[in-house]
């Protein structure tokens, strides 16, 4: 829909409580506004436009990445996979760890994190520090300069201040300020 001068094609409904409170179902017609003139927000369901066939949304019970049971909490809106070996969690931990405000490992973005995981070169964060140029050069599309730069960037990350190292670990409820 066209809304406040832009085309809106999606409005996120990641909060289970909101979906249930508003009784939003797949296929519903909804009233949308832009919160703060920016973020598309579902205000309400136009219940009178339902055809009677729409069923309440059924939440997934298992992690789509690893198949383990998901954990729901009454104290949080988050749904979590509790499997510490979940490949999707490891991928996100690597991206968080390598990010600019954390360990600032230049050259280790989503593409290379995926490749390193797929090739079995990393199975945990410490594995990053065991990577060598020779291993990286065996990867398709990894040139000598890129391998040298990535290993150098990983090595340089060892000299980051402790507050950044602590934040990089992704400990639950420990953000930048708590780490500082």
């Amino acid at each position: 829909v066209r809304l406040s001068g832009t085309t809106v094609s999606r409005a996120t409904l990641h909060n289970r409580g909101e979906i249930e409170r508003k009784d939003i179902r797949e296929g519903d017609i909804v009233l949308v506004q832009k919160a703060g003139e920016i973020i598309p927000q579902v205000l309400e369901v136009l219940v009178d436009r339902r055809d009677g066939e729409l069923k309440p949304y059924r939440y997934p019970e298992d992690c789509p990445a690893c198949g383990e049971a998901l954990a729901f909490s009454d104290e949080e809106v988050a749904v979590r996979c509790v499997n510490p070996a979940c490949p999707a969690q490891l991928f996100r931990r690597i991206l968080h760890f390598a990010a600019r405000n954390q360990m600032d490992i230049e050259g280790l973005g989503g593409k290379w994190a995926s490749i390193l995981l797929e090739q079995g070169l990393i199975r945990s964060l410490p594995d990053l520090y065991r990577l060598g140029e020779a291993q990286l050069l065996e990867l398709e599309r990894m040139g000598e300069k890129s391998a040298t730069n990535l290993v150098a960037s990983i090595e340089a990350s060892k000299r980051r201040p402790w507050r950044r190292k602590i934040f990089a670990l992704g400990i639950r409820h420990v953000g930048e300020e708590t780490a500082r």
Side-chain angles (χ1 to χ4, degrees), residues 37-105:
E37 292 299 313
I38 297 172
I39 301 168
Q41 173 185 26
V42 176
L43 288 179
E44 65 179 293
V45 175
L46 302 178
V47 180
D48 58 327
R49 307 270 305 264
R50 276 189 183 154
D51 65 6
E53 298 292 317
L54 302 179
K55 296 182 176 134
Y57 182 72
R58 196 166 154 251
Y59 297 93
E61 295 176 9
D62 301 321
C63 174
C66 71
E68 292 287 325
L70 294 172
F72 298 88
S73 169
D74 292 334
E75 289 129 32
E76 293 181 306
V77 295
V79 177
R80 299 185 190 282
C81 173
V82 294
N83 176 10
C86 176
Q89 285 192 51
L90 179 56
F91 174 74
R92 287 296 180 181
R93 277 196 302 273
I94 291 166
L95 293 184
H96 175 78
F97 187 82
R100 182 167 285 132
N101 288 344
Q102 288 79 273
M103 298 305 281
D104 195 17
I105 301 175

Side-chain angles (χ1 to χ4, degrees), residues 20-37:
E20 289 172 356
R21 187 177 67 75
K22 293 178 180 176
D23 188 28
I24 299 171
R25 301 174 184 199
E26 286 187 63
D28 267 335
I29 296 174
V30 295
L31 184 60
V32 178
Q33 77 171 5
K34 277 194 173 178
E37 292 299 313

Side-chain angles (χ1 to χ4, degrees), residues 136-149:
L136 295 173
L137 286 171
E138 292 177 12
L139 300 172
E140 195 174 315
R141 292 194 222 141
M142 176 64 81
E144 192 172 324
K145 185 172 175 100
S146 295
T148 300
N149 289 344

